[in-house]
Amino acid sequence: MWDVIKHGLEHNSLVTAFALVGVIMWISAILSKRLTRGRVHGSAIAIVIGLVLAWVGGTLSGGQKGLADLTLFSGIGLMGGAMLRDFAIVATAFEVQATEARKAGMIGAVALLLGTVLPFIVGAAVAWAFGYRDAVSVTTIGAGAVTYIVGPVTGAAIGATSDVVALSIATGLIKAIMVMVFTPAASRLMGLDNPRSAMVFGGLAGTVSGVTAGLAATDRRLVPYGALTATFHTGLGCLLAPSLFFFCVRGLIG
Amino acid sequence: MIVYGVALLAICTLAGVIIGDFLGVLLGVQSNVGGVGIAMIFLICARLYMHKHGSMSHTTKETELGVSFWGCMYIPIVVAMAAQQNVVTALHGGPVALIGAIGSVLVCGFAITVISRSHKGEPLPAEPIEPLPEKSIELNITAAPVGGR
């Protein structure tokens, strides 16, 4: 009996994922209404549930892709993968007011540059404080603080050891998760209620996943503005970290 | 035809991602540089063009439906994305990863606060003017207990 059901679900993995995510969103909407009286956005709760499920899936399977490593939920991997994610982010641009985006262009670029330099300095300083003294490790961990893609790309480019690369990925992942979870709570403090500040946020907070999930849980209409700058974040990080930043770190600590 | 919208979205996405990959190769970076952002700019231009030529026609409206469906699917896709993050590795990173992440989030959050307060933008209009199905349900809910009391 269970085998037949399981077979059916596994063979329609993407459809199973749609159903599962729908149920998660429904439960989150109820929790948001009952427990927080709508103060915490349903999407924010759904994202946290997703992260918890990712932890459960990763623990059960020992894999790296959270819930998607369980064959029953492999459709989650397709639904939440880079392909559909990028497709849906681009679609949100349909609601962008071109004039607003253009007005914030310059400040967005400044935010983007700051968003690469500041986390790198913090990450590198923490690595130094914990006893890493070689330029390669310090640069790789600093790059991980930019985004979890910049870390391994930089590590591969300058020849870091695998445990340092893993550490840099972990730094970037925790950062992305923190941005996803805490953005709705800090949105008022950060003045996150207009397209311009969303673009500043996208440039500074980094990682398309963290930024867009955080904004989605704050105000869905701000997502495209944040994504517009965040999308350049990883590219800029991959450009600067293994080159300019590495030379600076090497110059400073030999 | 709704599929026109989906195809338009697909073409913009593909063009943006391919250009982003090209930029990455040109700059000698092992990553896509701004692919999604470039795709978004294409789509914004396509919409502006559509509104200039033959706006409000039936085809234009259906084309927009094909795009906006995927825009609305964005949050569920983000939930699926959250469900496949490598949370186990992140939690096993130890103090360096944790402190590095917290530190950079705090520093960036401070910078965002400073910039967005010193260069204030126009807030988006309040929700009821541009009602989304999800939001309007919430509004009803918040209104209900007040009436009950």
Side-chain angles (χ1 to χ4, degrees), chain A residues 91-109:
Chain A
T92 61
F94 226 48
E95 293 170 27
V96 164
Q97 290 158 306
T99 45
E100 280 297 328
R102 211 177 305 148
K103 261 192 281 175
M106 190 60 212
I107 196 88

Side-chain angles (χ1 to χ4, degrees), chain B residues 9-31:
Chain B
L9 176 59
I11 291 166
C12 289
T13 309
L14 290 174
V17 168
I18 291 169
I19 291 175
D21 280 339
F22 261 114
L23 276 179
V25 173
L26 279 180
L27 297 167
V29 187
Q30 299 165 27
S31 145

